Amino acid sequence: MAEWVAPPPPPPPHLSADADADAKPLAFVAAEQFRSGTYVVQVPKDQIYRIPPPENAEYVERQGRTVARKNPCLACFSGLFGILLLVFLLLAIVGTTLFFTIRPRLPSFTVEKLHVKNPTTSGGDRRHHQPLKPSYEFTLESQNPNPVMDIHYPARGHATLSYKRTAIAAGKTPTLLQEHGETKSFRVALSGNKAQLPAVVKKSMSSEGKHVKVDLALSFRMPAKFKMGSLTLWTMQVSVHCDVTATTLAKGTEVKSEECHAKLQ
């Protein structure tokens, strides 16, 4: 440790003989030059300069090397996190834009025709009262309102025909591919089940002269893929329910009225 010490004060000037002769007594000088009161005496502090020990310099240098080694990894992780955050934001923006601009629109359906194949029963069938198992074929028209997306319906849909909530036939929906803005017709075939037909349905099938109208309900559910070129953007289920009034289920069947409602799920 190095210390700085103030130099000693200079020696008092040497008084000549004349000055000694003219000098006054100390008591007289004190009484003449000094007055009573309060005096502040300032003494300068010693100025001390300290030199840190060598081990402090080694510690600081060692800490600097440690921070220098950690900084590259920290910068790498920060950059990677920033890139991932940017990619996530871009995907969110693209997904939101696709959902609102290329959002799938609901297709519409209309029942055009109904054809009933009523099998004739043999004598043995009448004797054993075997139930009739007619088949039904509906011709429907579908419209794709999407301006840029095609709709592909795979042949995996299920269809049911009911009379007053009693199922009388079931079948499958066909494969259908509709381009954007296209209107296309397709057929749904249903086969009668083993249950006894309602009396009104049987009467309408056997009527030859006077037609007996029947109110039926056709429901089907099928998968739908909304595609842009070869890219599938959305895969949903389309559920359709149609209320159909037929003039008769015998020869000359016509659709008197129909109303279909569809929804995407």
Side-chain angles (χ1 to χ4, degrees):
M1 180 183 299
E3 298 184 357
W4 180 85
V5 181
H14 179 71
L15 298 177
S16 59
D18 296 337
D20 293 341
D22 296 337
K24 298 180 180 180
L26 181 60
F28 178 79
V29 173
E32 182 179 5
Q33 295 182 356
F34 296 96
R35 300 289 185 270
S36 62
T38 302
Y39 296 89
V40 178
V41 179
Q42 295 183 353
V43 180
K45 296 177 63 176
D46 294 341
Q47 299 182 9
I48 301 174
Y49 298 93
R50 298 179 180 272
I51 299 176
E55 55 268 20
N56 288 5
E58 294 177 0
Y59 175 78
V60 172
E61 184 178 358
R62 186 168 58 252
Q63 291 297 321
R65 288 197 301 267
T66 303
V67 173
R69 285 196 300 267
K70 292 182 179 179
N71 281 339
C73 295
L74 182 61
C76 179
F77 283 119
S78 300
L80 181 61
F81 178 76
I83 293 174
L84 292 177
L85 181 60
L86 181 61
V87 171
F88 176 77
L89 291 177
L90 289 177
L91 290 177
I93 293 173
V94 171
T96 304
T97 304
L98 286 176
F99 182 78
F100 285 103
T101 58
I102 318 179
R103 183 169 52 181
R105 298 182 182 179
L106 186 66
S108 60
F109 297 87
T110 304
V111 177
E112 294 182 323
K113 298 178 182 179
L114 169 60
H115 179 65
V116 181
K117 295 181 180 179
N118 186 8
T120 58
T121 57
S122 62
D125 290 334
R126 293 192 187 96
R127 188 167 52 251
H128 293 89
H129 302 286
Q130 293 292 331
L132 297 176
K133 293 181 62 177
S135 59
Y136 309 83
E137 186 179 78
F138 285 85
T139 301
L140 295 95
E141 183 182 80
S142 174
Q143 181 183 11
N144 179 11
N146 294 276
V148 294
M149 288 188 295
D150 303 336
I151 304 180
H152 177 224
Y153 301 98
R156 295 197 303 268
H158 180 72
T160 304
L161 182 64
S162 304
Y163 172 77
K164 291 186 177 181
R165 298 186 179 181
T166 300
I168 60 176
K172 298 292 183 180
T173 58
T175 301
L176 179 65
L177 178 60
Q178 271 188 290
E179 296 182 356
H180 52 278
E182 182 183 17
T183 299
K184 183 176 288 188
S185 297
F186 65 98
R187 296 178 181 179
V188 178
L190 304 99
S191 299
N193 51 32
K194 296 181 180 180
Q196 187 72 27
L197 286 175
V200 175
V201 176
K202 293 175 64 176
K203 183 178 180 180
S204 180
M205 287 182 177
S206 60
S207 63
E208 295 181 357
K210 185 179 180 180
H211 290 176
V212 178
K213 69 176 183 178
V214 181
D215 295 326
L216 301 174
L218 174 65
S219 301
F220 55 92
R221 177 185 173 92
M222 54 186 178
K225 296 181 179 181
F226 295 83
K227 308 179 68 174
M228 183 180 294
S230 59
L231 178 63
T232 300
L233 299 179
W234 312 91
T235 300
M236 298 183 176
Q237 293 287 333
V238 178
S239 297
V240 183
H241 179 84
C242 299
D243 293 319
V244 182
T245 300
T247 57
T248 181
L249 297 182
K251 187 177 180 180
T253 303
E254 293 182 0
V255 176
K256 184 177 181 180
S257 64
E258 60 81 31
E259 186 176 3
C260 294
H261 301 278
K263 62 180 180 179
L264 292 175
Q265 296 176 336

